[in-house]
Amino acid sequence: MSSDKEQLLAMGFEPARIDWALKATKNSGLQPAMDHVLENSEKPVPTAEEQNIDVADDDDDAEALAAHIKKTGASDEQIAKSIKCSECGKVFRSQATASFHAERSGHQEFEESTEEIKPLTEEEKKAKLAELREKLAAKRAALRRKAGQDSGKIKEDLQLKEINKEAERKRREKIEDQKARAAIKAQIEADKRERAEKAAREKVAREGATLPPTTSSANPAPSKPVAAVKSSENPETRLQIRLSAGGPPLTKTFASDSTLVDVAEWVASESLAYNVDTVTFASTFPRKTYSREDMKKSLKENGLTPSAVLMAS
């Protein structure tokens, strides 16, 4: 045969409340213990020390009651059997339950009462038990919903982290791609510049060749002067780029037929603060901001040959 505790556990009561009820009723049986659980279902379970104090108080009250009856000869109807709250009229079986009511409600006025708190009927017990089970089921359902919500939030957070991680990866790939394209462009420009320099040297050498000496050694024919190259026609343009993002200026020599787009790609390869599609250039003398159409023109067409200082932003 199962014990009282096992039967109460099978009914779905909390172990702590069962232990409290068995101790409070001094293990007097299943029915008193269940009555105690139902009557105190809305109250917090007291600590072991508080339970010991309540049991001692009950024993003391019983002894005091017996002595009082013997001494005074008072009838049963004249003996206080409960404690009543003068402010709301509720009646309590013990000092402990009255104190709990005072803490929760803030009521301070109590008086002894001869009203006896009758035990619950079978129907009331069943109704109370059904109510407790319903509350327990609702509490468990709420816990399950909260657990599901927490799980959903964790899943959303993980998805957001993955999205941010993928966006960062694509951003790095874009930067690396820009740097690679800028490096290729720079190499192409270097090759073009080298070919232009070589052609310019060959042209100067051809135009500056000396005539063969005449038969008269006393009056040698003067050498043909080397053709001068106009500064605006110089095959090379030296640029100093001052960065609005901070840092030392950049200096580089470009072929004069290079465009400002070529210069923008080089700047983007040197500083990640700039994007080849959005960087703009401006000169201080003469003061000018170069448009997107100007970006497509050569350095010579923009009047930057043979040298210039530009602000990049």
Side-chain angles (χ1 to χ4, degrees):
M1 184 176 181
S2 60
S3 66
D4 294 340
K5 183 173 182 178
E6 290 174 346
Q7 293 185 60
L8 291 170
L9 286 171
M11 294 179 187
F13 296 120
E14 299 177 27
R17 291 193 175 278
I18 294 172
D19 293 337
W20 178 26
L22 292 173
K23 188 171 185 178
T25 59
K26 300 179 182 180
N27 293 300
S28 56
L30 176 62
Q31 189 61 48
M34 188 169 70
D35 291 343
H36 185 279
V37 171
L38 295 175
E39 292 172 5
N40 297 277
S41 61
E42 300 297 329
K43 304 172 186 176
V45 179
T47 63
E49 182 179 359
E50 292 171 340
Q51 292 179 30
N52 291 333
I53 292 174
D54 289 343
V55 172
D57 288 344
D58 290 342
D59 292 340
D60 292 343
D61 291 344
E63 294 177 2
L65 177 61
H68 177 72
I69 294 173
K70 183 177 181 180
K71 181 178 179 180
T72 62
S75 64
D76 186 61
E77 289 78 6
Q78 297 173 326
I79 301 300
K81 299 178 181 179
S82 59
I83 299 174
K84 183 176 182 180
C85 177
S86 302
E87 297 183 39
C88 67
K90 288 187 178 180
V91 181
F92 306 96
R93 188 186 302 275
S94 66
Q95 181 66 41
T97 55
S99 298
F100 175 74
H101 171 74
E103 292 177 3
R104 188 171 61 176
S105 65
H107 296 170
Q108 300 296 326
E109 300 295 330
F110 292 87
E111 59 183 331
E112 291 184 345
S113 173
T114 57
E115 181 180 349
E116 183 178 3
I117 301 177
K118 297 180 180 180
L120 298 176
T121 65
E122 289 299 324
E123 292 183 357
E124 289 174 337
K125 290 176 184 178
K126 291 179 181 179
K128 192 71 173 177
L129 181 60
E131 180 184 351
L132 288 175
R133 287 175 175 170
E134 184 178 349
K135 288 183 178 180
L136 181 61
K139 185 175 181 181
R140 288 174 177 171
L143 290 174
R144 285 195 297 269
R145 286 196 299 272
K146 187 176 185 302
Q149 292 172 355
D150 292 342
S151 176
K153 188 176 185 306
I154 292 173
K155 186 176 180 180
E156 289 178 1
D157 291 343
L158 289 175
Q159 290 176 344
L160 181 60
K161 287 181 180 179
E162 289 297 323
I163 291 172
N164 291 338
K165 185 177 179 180
E166 180 66 15
E168 179 63 20
R169 183 186 66 79
K170 290 182 178 180
R171 188 185 71 83
R172 288 198 301 268
E173 287 181 354
K174 183 178 180 181
I175 291 174
E176 293 298 325
D177 183 60
Q178 289 179 349
K179 290 175 67 176
R181 286 191 289 109
I184 293 172
K185 286 281 188 179
Q187 184 60 48
I188 292 173
E189 291 303 320
D191 293 342
K192 288 170 62 178
R193 184 172 64 254
E194 184 178 353
R195 289 194 298 270
E197 290 173 353
K198 182 178 179 181
R201 287 196 299 270
E202 291 175 351
K203 181 178 179 182
V204 171
R206 286 196 302 272
E207 294 179 352
T210 57
L211 296 174
T214 60
T215 55
S216 174
S217 58
N219 297 303
S223 300
K224 185 176 181 180
V226 177
V229 178
K230 295 180 180 180
S231 61
S232 61
E233 297 295 328
N234 196 305
E236 293 182 342
T237 300
R238 181 178 177 80
L239 296 180
Q240 183 185 87
I241 312 297
R242 297 179 182 176
L243 307 177
S244 62
L250 305 176
T251 303
K252 183 176 175 65
T253 300
F254 294 86
S256 295
D257 58 354
S258 299
T259 65
L260 281 175
V261 173
D262 298 326
V263 178
E265 291 176 343
W266 176 72
V267 170
S269 69
E270 295 294 320
S271 174
L272 294 180
Y274 296 91
N275 187 299
V276 66
D277 297 323
T278 58
V279 64
T280 60
F281 296 111
S283 60
T284 55
F285 185 80
R287 183 177 296 277
K288 179 179 180 180
T289 299
Y290 295 90
S291 65
R292 302 315 297 179
E293 288 299 321
D294 293 332
M295 296 287 288
K296 300 175 184 179
K297 297 179 182 179
S298 67
L299 303 180
K300 184 188 300 183
E301 291 173 328
N302 280 309
L304 301 174
T305 304
S307 63
V309 176
L310 295 177
M311 291 292 297
S313 60

